[in-house]
Amino acid sequence: AQSVTQLDSHVSVSEGTPVLLRCNYSSSYSPSLFWYVQHPNKGLQLLLKYTSAATLVKGINGFEAEFKKSETSFHLTKPSAHMSDAAEYFCVVTAFGNEKLTFGTGTRLTIIP
Amino acid sequence: AAGVIQSPRHLIKEKRETATLKCYPIPRHDTVYWYQQGPGQDPQFLISFYEKMQSDKGSIPDRFSAQQFSDYHSELNMSSLELGDSALYFCASSLEGQYNSPLHFGNGTRLTVT
């Protein structure tokens, strides 16, 4: 069994300030974890993925996430928010052999000018 | 780089009508997934195909069916449409041979049932 919890349904930050989107997971197996971003009326775009290599994962557009097994967390961060970062972000988990992704409920990121 | 192509982008149907959604995966990708995303909801897995065979099934209603063709494109057929079927339908593709190959999503088909 696997599940993912995104701790904040909505996050607002000012442009140029750091972004933190929180995600906790549970999995019976060694998980692979992903962050996807969805802009309005667009498909989901992969930001980054963790697959048991380096625990600090760097993605596109300056985002990164750190896998912390002891805390079962995979929080997404960015040092400086940009207006174009405003979107919905989904934390996703899948275990080896399980081809179905389990999505979190999403975090809507709003950037304040 | 080529991406996942879905058609049509928008579709409006009346209750009890049928709809067909098409998905063209990234070239060389052998696995296709269909997801349904209701308003304000996270995507829900419907069904997947690997090498033209159904590989997994999620919360797909019996009124829906899907298949993957010899050129790896896939079609989702929806019959006896209900108002609750109004949603964004995503197709995604991946290369099954790669361990936990991430999914590449299309831009979706927005279905509105009136």
Side-chain angles (χ1 to χ4, degrees), chain A residues 37 39 45 47 59-63 78 80 85:
Chain A
V37 60
H39 291 275
Q45 180 184 20
L47 277 179
I60 62 172
N61 301 335
F63 284 95
K78 182 173 180 176
S80 177
D85 295 329

PDB file of all heavy atoms in Angstrom, chain A residues 37 39 45 47 59-63 78 80 85:
ATOM      1  N   VAL A  37       4.043  19.490 -11.917  1.00  0.00           N
ATOM      2  CA  VAL A  37       3.411  20.797 -11.875  1.00  0.00           C
ATOM      3  C   VAL A  37       2.336  20.860 -12.962  1.00  0.00           C
ATOM      4  O   VAL A  37       2.508  20.290 -14.048  1.00  0.00           O
ATOM      5  CB  VAL A  37       4.442  21.932 -12.068  1.00  0.00           C
ATOM      6  CG1 VAL A  37       5.155  21.832 -13.402  1.00  0.00           C
ATOM      7  CG2 VAL A  37       3.775  23.307 -11.942  1.00  0.00           C
ATOM      8  N   HIS A  39      -0.047  23.679 -14.830  1.00  0.00           N
ATOM      9  CA  HIS A  39      -0.514  25.036 -15.076  1.00  0.00           C
ATOM     10  C   HIS A  39      -1.954  24.959 -15.576  1.00  0.00           C
ATOM     11  O   HIS A  39      -2.379  23.922 -16.099  1.00  0.00           O
ATOM     12  CB  HIS A  39       0.391  25.740 -16.074  1.00  0.00           C
ATOM     13  CG  HIS A  39       1.752  26.041 -15.521  1.00  0.00           C
ATOM     14  ND1 HIS A  39       2.022  27.169 -14.782  1.00  0.00           N
ATOM     15  CD2 HIS A  39       2.912  25.348 -15.567  1.00  0.00           C
ATOM     16  CE1 HIS A  39       3.294  27.166 -14.405  1.00  0.00           C
ATOM     17  NE2 HIS A  39       3.855  26.072 -14.868  1.00  0.00           N
ATOM     18  N   GLN A  45       3.443  18.331 -15.850  1.00  0.00           N
ATOM     19  CA  GLN A  45       4.836  18.342 -16.291  1.00  0.00           C
ATOM     20  C   GLN A  45       5.715  17.861 -15.141  1.00  0.00           C
ATOM     21  O   GLN A  45       5.575  18.331 -14.002  1.00  0.00           O
ATOM     22  CB  GLN A  45       5.250  19.754 -16.717  1.00  0.00           C
ATOM     23  CG  GLN A  45       6.685  19.860 -17.193  1.00  0.00           C
ATOM     24  CD  GLN A  45       7.095  21.280 -17.511  1.00  0.00           C
ATOM     25  OE1 GLN A  45       6.476  22.235 -17.054  1.00  0.00           O
ATOM     26  NE2 GLN A  45       8.150  21.430 -18.287  1.00  0.00           N
ATOM     27  N   LEU A  47       8.611  17.785 -12.719  1.00  0.00           N
ATOM     28  CA  LEU A  47       9.600  18.710 -12.201  1.00  0.00           C
ATOM     29  C   LEU A  47      10.893  17.979 -11.828  1.00  0.00           C
ATOM     30  O   LEU A  47      11.982  18.414 -12.160  1.00  0.00           O
ATOM     31  CB  LEU A  47       9.080  19.409 -10.940  1.00  0.00           C
ATOM     32  CG  LEU A  47       8.178  20.615 -11.093  1.00  0.00           C
ATOM     33  CD1 LEU A  47       7.768  21.118  -9.711  1.00  0.00           C
ATOM     34  CD2 LEU A  47       8.862  21.713 -11.876  1.00  0.00           C
ATOM     35  N   GLY A  59      15.674  19.602  -9.987  1.00  0.00           N
ATOM     36  CA  GLY A  59      14.750  19.511 -11.101  1.00  0.00           C
ATOM     37  C   GLY A  59      14.846  20.718 -12.010  1.00  0.00           C
ATOM     38  O   GLY A  59      15.816  21.459 -11.987  1.00  0.00           O
ATOM     39  N   ILE A  60      13.791  20.893 -12.777  1.00  0.00           N
ATOM     40  CA  ILE A  60      13.777  22.011 -13.713  1.00  0.00           C
ATOM     41  C   ILE A  60      13.316  23.283 -13.017  1.00  0.00           C
ATOM     42  O   ILE A  60      12.736  23.242 -11.932  1.00  0.00           O
ATOM     43  CB  ILE A  60      12.855  21.698 -14.919  1.00  0.00           C
ATOM     44  CG1 ILE A  60      11.405  21.501 -14.459  1.00  0.00           C
ATOM     45  CG2 ILE A  60      13.370  20.493 -15.677  1.00  0.00           C
ATOM     46  CD1 ILE A  60      10.414  21.392 -15.597  1.00  0.00           C
ATOM     47  N   ASN A  61      13.607  24.413 -13.660  1.00  0.00           N
ATOM     48  CA  ASN A  61      13.138  25.721 -13.186  1.00  0.00           C
ATOM     49  C   ASN A  61      13.607  26.064 -11.777  1.00  0.00           C
ATOM     50  O   ASN A  61      12.935  26.820 -11.074  1.00  0.00           O
ATOM     51  CB  ASN A  61      11.600  25.804 -13.245  1.00  0.00           C
ATOM     52  CG  ASN A  61      11.067  25.602 -14.653  1.00  0.00           C
ATOM     53  OD1 ASN A  61      11.762  25.855 -15.634  1.00  0.00           O
ATOM     54  ND2 ASN A  61       9.846  25.121 -14.764  1.00  0.00           N
ATOM     55  N   GLY A  62      14.748  25.533 -11.374  1.00  0.00           N
ATOM     56  CA  GLY A  62      15.326  25.878 -10.081  1.00  0.00           C
ATOM     57  C   GLY A  62      14.742  25.155  -8.886  1.00  0.00           C
ATOM     58  O   GLY A  62      15.104  25.447  -7.744  1.00  0.00           O
ATOM     59  N   PHE A  63      13.858  24.228  -9.098  1.00  0.00           N
ATOM     60  CA  PHE A  63      13.278  23.467  -7.991  1.00  0.00           C
ATOM     61  C   PHE A  63      14.189  22.311  -7.574  1.00  0.00           C
ATOM     62  O   PHE A  63      14.927  21.767  -8.398  1.00  0.00           O
ATOM     63  CB  PHE A  63      11.905  22.900  -8.388  1.00  0.00           C
ATOM     64  CG  PHE A  63      10.806  23.913  -8.405  1.00  0.00           C
ATOM     65  CD1 PHE A  63      10.458  24.559  -9.581  1.00  0.00           C
ATOM     66  CD2 PHE A  63      10.113  24.219  -7.245  1.00  0.00           C
ATOM     67  CE1 PHE A  63       9.445  25.505  -9.599  1.00  0.00           C
ATOM     68  CE2 PHE A  63       9.093  25.155  -7.252  1.00  0.00           C
ATOM     69  CZ  PHE A  63       8.756  25.805  -8.427  1.00  0.00           C
ATOM     70  N   LYS A  78      12.343  25.952  -3.553  1.00  0.00           N
ATOM     71  CA  LYS A  78      12.959  26.804  -4.568  1.00  0.00           C
ATOM     72  C   LYS A  78      13.439  28.061  -3.846  1.00  0.00           C
ATOM     73  O   LYS A  78      12.675  28.615  -3.048  1.00  0.00           O
ATOM     74  CB  LYS A  78      11.970  27.168  -5.667  1.00  0.00           C
ATOM     75  CG  LYS A  78      12.574  28.010  -6.781  1.00  0.00           C
ATOM     76  CD  LYS A  78      11.615  28.207  -7.940  1.00  0.00           C
ATOM     77  CE  LYS A  78      12.262  29.063  -9.034  1.00  0.00           C
ATOM     78  NZ  LYS A  78      11.406  29.220 -10.227  1.00  0.00           N
ATOM     79  N   SER A  80      14.000  31.140  -4.758  1.00  0.00           N
ATOM     80  CA  SER A  80      13.417  32.433  -5.087  1.00  0.00           C
ATOM     81  C   SER A  80      12.244  32.239  -6.042  1.00  0.00           C
ATOM     82  O   SER A  80      12.435  31.787  -7.178  1.00  0.00           O
ATOM     83  CB  SER A  80      14.480  33.331  -5.730  1.00  0.00           C
ATOM     84  OG  SER A  80      13.931  34.564  -6.119  1.00  0.00           O
ATOM     85  N   ASP A  85       5.892  30.611 -11.541  1.00  0.00           N
ATOM     86  CA  ASP A  85       5.777  29.401 -10.727  1.00  0.00           C
ATOM     87  C   ASP A  85       4.352  29.172 -10.221  1.00  0.00           C
ATOM     88  O   ASP A  85       4.055  28.107  -9.661  1.00  0.00           O
ATOM     89  CB  ASP A  85       6.721  29.466  -9.521  1.00  0.00           C
ATOM     90  CG  ASP A  85       8.186  29.482  -9.925  1.00  0.00           C
ATOM     91  OD1 ASP A  85       8.517  28.875 -10.964  1.00  0.00           O
ATOM     92  OD2 ASP A  85       8.986  30.126  -9.225  1.00  0.00           O
TER      93      ASP A  85
END
